[in-house]
Amino acid sequence: MNFLLKAATIIDPASPFHNKTVDILIENGIIADINAAIKASDSVEEIALNNLHVSQGWFDSSVCFGEPGYEERETIDNGLQVAAKSGFTAIGLHPNTFPVIDNSASISFLKGKAQNHAVSLYPIGALTTQSAGKDMAELFDMQQAGAIAFGDYKKAIQNPNLLKIALLYAQNFDGLVMSFPQENNIAGKGMVNEEEQSTLLGLKGIPALAEELQIARDLFLLEYTGGKLHIPTISTAKSVELIREAKAKGLHISCSTTVHHLVLTDKELDTFDTNYKVLPPLRIQKDVDALIKGVEDGTIDMVTSDHRPMDIEHKKVEFDNAKYGTIGLESAFGILNHLLGIEKTVDMLTNGKSIFGIKNTIIDKGNKADLSLFNSKNDAIFTEKQILSTSKNCALVGKNILGETYGIIANGKMILK
């Protein structure tokens, strides 16, 4: 299909057309022309949308669906449709399925399910067999099959020697190791942030120390071994400080935080709404402020939705028994744009590609069209009606958003809401 985007404002600092409002002609998946006014031929579909903005395609490094094994939560097909309509042209998909994605055959299965879709699915392989934390999985074989990184989703690597070996081994093929930041012996049976709010509500707490101690350990190991380490979804002020210091030392360290950790605190738990039961837990305002500063100064490399669909049977239960997780693909752009502004939002949604070995595609003539389409304006409230996922467990319903997503053009296809 050929497309002509009319009056599109380009947000791409690397492009010669940055901040210019132009027409963009796309033929056979390639940007054929960018000009002030382009006349559409009969073979071109003209796209004219209110306050249309385009940027390089967005990437979410922390997404879960359910298939295989938990299709009632989300299928790959519908999950990719949700990602597309939320403005994402690429996702990193976690291995927390049944069976766990811990070998090359299962990586190939995921790639096959997403074949010919507009959204590119990049599997993250489990670091350990069955994500059990004991034996290292087949990292090289998975990388050859298409895995972009290796980590056990929401499961900390308790054995430091295992992480040491993984960091050493992955250097043979430039692999990226992910380590979830939680020291389980400190976290214990906690489920929310250990602070005044947990005491008032009578809920067992996870202290910030549990995250920070694990990060400090991982950074010591990285300094010893070399290699590449990514710490996903950090949530505390001290975590930001530790990673800032490690980057100043020149360590090859990257990290992310989540949309919900940038805008929510543990005060949300007053109603015992299990949609706010997330891991890491929601922290206090001091931590939120430090995370925002970390985003603004570049200590935090990317922001993720940490999209984790969960069926109603695991959320509409007592708080103690509820599963962790919130969905966030649909609300990510609007929340971030309201908080950070358009250019920083686009930066946070595209910067992660290079860290995970995915090529950034500058918006210019002759380049592949990998575009997110959106409206940067219009204040609104995010509502449940805007949820497209099969599961509806969203912690961000009722929060302020700015702008809306229209969809994507990628891999020669267009998907609009």
Side-chain angles (χ1 to χ4, degrees):
M1 288 289 290
N2 300 326
F3 309 104
L4 177 62
L5 301 178
K6 298 295 291 182
T9 301
I10 294 175
I11 305 296
D12 181 2
S15 168
F17 300 97
H18 178 52
N19 273 334
K20 294 181 180 177
T21 300
V22 292
D23 290 357
I24 305 173
L25 177 64
I26 299 163
E27 295 179 338
N28 300 316
I30 303 297
I31 299 174
D33 194 12
I34 300 177
N35 225 311
I38 301 173
K39 189 174 181 180
S41 66
D42 293 339
S43 63
V44 174
E45 182 176 352
E46 190 171 304
I47 310 297
L49 298 166
N50 181 45
N51 191 38
L52 175 61
H53 283 58
V54 301
S55 72
Q56 292 186 29
W58 304 339
F59 169 63
D60 192 327
S61 64
S62 183
V63 173
C64 305
F65 292 148
E67 187 177 2
Y70 304 111
E71 286 83 358
E72 70 280 4
R73 298 176 185 174
E74 189 63 279
T75 63
I76 290 172
D77 182 61
N78 190 65
L80 292 176
Q81 290 289 333
V82 172
K85 292 175 182 179
S86 302
F88 292 90
T89 65
I91 61 159
L93 189 66
H94 283 294
N96 57 325
T97 52
F98 184 78
V100 171
I101 307 301
D102 63 358
N103 56 66
S104 58
S106 52
I107 295 291
S108 297
F109 166 80
L110 293 180
K111 297 289 284 185
K113 290 289 290 188
Q115 196 171 13
N116 299 321
H117 201 281
V119 177
S120 298
L121 186 157
Y122 293 98
I124 296 169
L127 184 69
T128 64
T129 304
Q130 298 179 4
S131 287
K134 294 181 179 179
D135 303 307
M136 195 165 65
E138 303 168 0
L139 307 191
F140 178 71
D141 288 350
M142 287 192 285
Q143 192 252 12
Q144 292 295 295
I148 57 168
F150 310 98
D152 297 334
Y153 182 69
K154 302 299 183 188
K155 293 184 176 181
I157 305 167
Q158 290 302 293
N159 181 352
N161 193 52
L162 180 59
L163 180 59
K164 184 197 78 173
I165 292 169
L167 285 167
L168 289 169
Y169 175 66
Q171 290 177 57
N172 291 302
F173 50 90
D174 199 30
L176 178 63
V177 174
M178 301 173 68
S179 177
F180 179 66
Q182 179 169 290
E183 168 49 70
N184 290 341
N185 292 312
I186 298 290
K189 295 182 179 180
M191 63 191 76
V192 299
N193 184 46
E194 183 180 87
E195 265 289 345
E196 179 183 353
Q197 186 75 337
S198 63
T199 303
L200 289 172
L201 299 176
L203 296 171
K204 294 175 182 175
I206 300 174
L209 177 65
E211 175 172 310
E212 296 152 6
L213 196 62
Q214 191 81 348
I215 290 176
R217 183 207 74 171
D218 290 353
L219 293 174
F220 271 117
L221 288 168
L222 180 64
E223 190 169 7
Y224 177 79
T225 61
K228 298 193 299 186
L229 179 66
H230 179 73
I231 299 179
T233 63
I234 66 170
S235 67
T236 80
K238 182 66 174 177
S239 296
V240 177
E241 183 182 330
L242 287 167
I243 290 170
R244 186 179 288 121
E245 291 171 355
K247 287 189 170 187
K249 286 182 178 179
L251 298 185
H252 203 147
I253 179 72
S254 60
C255 70
S256 68
T257 192
T258 77
V259 176
H260 46 271
H261 281 102
L262 290 174
V263 293
L264 303 177
T265 70
D266 61 2
K267 296 295 184 186
E268 305 284 350
L269 298 169
D270 279 342
T271 60
F272 291 91
D273 186 339
T274 58
N275 286 331
Y276 298 115
K277 186 176 182 181
V278 293
L279 196 67
L282 299 176
R283 305 292 187 179
I284 60 175
Q285 190 61 48
K286 178 191 78 171
D287 296 309
V288 171
D289 293 341
L291 290 172
I292 293 172
K293 185 177 179 182
V295 165
E296 290 173 342
D297 69 15
T299 300
I300 295 173
D301 300 280
M302 66 195 86
V303 178
T304 172
S305 69
D306 203 19
H307 183 83
R308 190 181 190 183
M310 197 58 63
D311 52 282
I312 194 169
E313 287 82 2
H314 289 102
K315 277 294 188 180
K316 290 287 185 180
V317 293
E318 296 85 354
F319 199 93
D320 284 18
N321 297 325
K323 296 280 189 182
Y324 292 105
T326 176
I327 59 173
L329 281 171
E330 300 96 321
S331 56
F333 168 73
I335 296 282
L336 288 178
N337 190 30
H338 184 268
L339 178 68
L340 303 173
I342 190 62
E343 290 205 19
K344 192 63 179 179
T345 294
V346 169
D347 180 48
M348 286 293 101
L349 294 177
T350 55
N351 190 42
K353 287 186 193 174
S354 58
I355 291 167
F356 284 82
I358 301 166
K359 185 180 178 181
N360 279 300
T361 307
I362 296 170
I363 301 176
D364 201 358
K365 299 173 188 178
N367 287 349
K368 180 181 175 183
D370 187 76
L371 307 173
S372 297
L373 281 57
F374 55 94
N375 177 354
S376 64
K377 297 181 179 178
N378 297 336
D379 284 298
I381 301 293
F382 186 75
T383 67
E384 193 167 333
K385 289 181 180 179
Q386 292 164 277
I387 294 176
L388 306 170
S389 301
T390 301
S391 296
K392 310 300 179 186
N393 54 304
C394 184
L396 294 164
V397 170
K399 302 306 174 186
N400 291 320
I401 58 174
L402 177 61
E404 62 177 321
T405 56
Y406 289 131
I408 64 170
I409 295 177
N411 293 322
K413 300 177 176 64
M414 178 176 66
I415 296 180
L416 298 178
K417 281 184 179 177

